[in-house]
Amino acid sequence: MSTDDKNRAIAAAILPLVGGAENISSVAHCMTRLRLGLRDRSLVRDEALKALPSVMGVVEDDTYQIVLGPGTVARVTPELEALVAAAPKAAPTAPSHDADDLAAHGAALKAAQKAKNATPFKLFLRRIANIFVPLIPALIGCGIIAGLNGLLINLGWLPGVTPALAAMASGFMALIAVFVGYNTAKEFGGTAILGGAVAAIIVFPGVAKIDAFGQTRSPGQGGVLGALGAAILAVYVEKWCRRWVPESLDVLVTPTLTVLISGLVTIFGLMFVAGEISTAIGEFANWLLANAGAGAGFLLGGLFLPLVMLGLHQALIPIHTTLIEQQGYTVLLPILAMAGAGQVGAAMAVYLKLPRNGSIRRTIKSALPAGFLGVGEPLIYGVSLPLGRPFITACVGGAFGGGFVGLFSMLGDTVGSTAIGPSGWALFPLLDGNKGLGETIAIYAGGLLVGYLAGFVATYFWGFSRELLEEFNVDTETAPAELTVATGGGTPTKAPETEPEPAKV
């Protein structure tokens, strides 16, 4: 049997065990796994799949993943795609455009995009995100306490308590490099505590006594970027020691050499380099918003959601953290939060444009509260992205909201966030800036309103083609007979769907 015939046979054996071609909504693969978007998970015969000689195992995630191994999966995937495309289609039925079908289409798009994002660079960014994401709860808690403390100081209230609140708010940030180093070593396969030990050198007050190449080191110089680099270096030194140090001496020699070598490189090299990079990031962000704030805000607010879908937004996490460490807040997050405002405005326009589609309208009503609080996935993957053009007009709304906030940065009113993670209305308790709190809140609220309005207007007037409107503005609940067929046992069930087509735009 030729190689092509073998791969075709593997695909043919897999297809009926996952419910047939009509049960597959998307096909993709990564290095080792065939990733399938399925319409009905219950149709999959797991044990029969695992029994196939070519199948090494199955994994359930956002997609149903069949482990075939490197090389094999890249050859089997196109054969399966060909079989799915050539399979007889179900008898034509009235198209169903209720919320469940739209959500299934959105889930398939999300799964396909996630599979595409499994490139080495994006996987590296995901690892960087895994280092900082566990720190977000502490950043939020300390950020809110810092905001409360600032309010009490401005009002002159509780002077005996504010020093304690300041210690609570600042303690974590003073040692954040240690936590970054710990998480970095853990993420990259080293001993976590050794990563933390090396990173602790950066914040140790005694480094102020060290003269390196004519320059005195400062505690905290290099910040989280220096901690990140120091811990990654420690991991590589540790792994080298594990290979070459005899087992009898490993427990003594390996940790000693890891801290010694990584520590010296950190003190005499990484702290300076990372410090220069951190300073440049802060200066560039401030310069950009001060000189081109409206344009920069427009681009950042409009492109943020596409960056999220491409997995590139994770590169912003260490930048946010560096800005918070330097200035006490990140000036980028309030602008990026406008992307969610555009989604909310677009969803409200979709609600009005589809008065007959009760299913989609119910989905929007249930997802809007989360959208106002900055949780946009239900609206993105359940409404705007599957429809196509409304996703683009929602990004337009985010662009105008970001441009509004950026414009005030040009006028000297900086709006920032003391933590990362929250968005939408949930960001209000974390707001900070170079002016009074009331003015900062007013600018951010104005940006949200502009984002809502621009997203609504763009979607209402340009978010639907005539064909798209005719296709989706239908009553999905008045003709259930057209949407059901009888199974072998005579029980009416929803008709099998063909491969969902992208929404017409």
Side-chain angles (χ1 to χ4, degrees), residues 474-492:
V474 294
D475 191 338
T476 59
E477 300 168 348
T478 58
E482 297 180 356
L483 304 179
T484 59
V485 296
T487 62
T491 304

Side-chain angles (χ1 to χ4, degrees), residues 110-396:
K110 179 181 180 181
Q113 188 61 52
K114 185 175 181 180
K116 291 180 182 178
N117 285 345
T119 63
F121 176 67
K122 292 174 184 176
L123 290 175
F124 174 77
L125 292 181
R126 192 174 302 166
R127 299 183 81 171
I128 298 299
N130 290 341
I131 294 167
F132 288 92
V133 167
L135 306 179
I136 289 178
L139 286 169
I140 293 174
C142 295
I144 291 177
I145 292 173
L148 175 62
N149 188 53
L151 181 63
L152 292 176
I153 292 174
N154 290 335
L155 295 174
W157 294 354
L158 303 177
V161 176
T162 51
L165 293 177
M168 298 176 197
S170 303
F172 172 73
M173 290 305 303
L175 298 175
I176 189 172
V178 179
F179 296 100
V180 169
Y182 184 95
N183 286 348
T184 300
K186 182 178 179 181
E187 179 66 26
F188 282 84
T191 302
I193 197 64
L194 291 179
V198 174
I201 298 170
I202 292 174
V203 295
F204 177 59
V207 298
K209 301 177 182 179
I210 299 174
D211 182 82
F213 307 112
Q215 293 184 333
T216 302
R217 292 288 173 258
S218 302
Q221 185 177 356
V224 294
L225 297 183
L228 184 69
I232 291 176
L233 174 62
V235 170
Y236 281 99
V237 173
E238 180 187 0
K239 290 181 177 179
W240 181 87
C241 291
R242 301 290 183 198
R243 286 198 304 268
W244 295 103
V245 174
E247 290 186 12
S248 58
L249 300 176
D250 182 73
V251 69
L252 296 174
V253 175
T254 297
T256 303
L257 287 179
T258 299
V259 175
L260 179 63
I261 296 173
S262 304
L264 288 173
V265 174
T266 298
I267 292 171
F268 291 96
L270 281 177
M271 286 183 68
F272 174 77
V273 174
E276 292 298 305
I277 294 174
S278 298
T279 301
I281 289 174
E283 291 178 350
F284 177 73
N286 292 331
W287 176 87
L288 183 65
L289 293 180
N291 293 277
F298 189 89
L299 289 176
L300 289 172
L303 295 178
F304 182 62
L305 286 180
L307 287 177
V308 171
M309 294 186 63
L310 293 173
L312 298 176
H313 67 296
Q314 293 164 338
L316 296 172
I317 296 177
I319 296 176
H320 286 311
T321 310
T322 297
L323 291 174
I324 293 172
E325 190 179 38
Q326 286 184 344
Q327 305 174 2
Y329 52 81
T330 169
V331 294
L332 299 179
L333 186 59
I335 290 175
L336 300 177
M338 296 302 121
Q343 288 292 329
V344 169
M348 290 190 287
V350 172
Y351 184 88
L352 293 181
K353 293 289 285 188
L354 303 179
R356 300 177 60 191
N357 197 319
S359 181
I360 292 178
R361 285 164 67 92
R362 280 196 302 272
T363 296
I364 293 173
K365 287 174 65 176
S366 64
L368 270 178
F372 281 115
L373 293 174
V375 181
E377 280 207 341
L379 291 175
I380 296 170
Y381 291 105
V383 181
S384 66
L385 184 60
L387 288 172
R389 192 182 289 184
F391 178 78
I392 298 173
T393 53
C395 292
V396 171

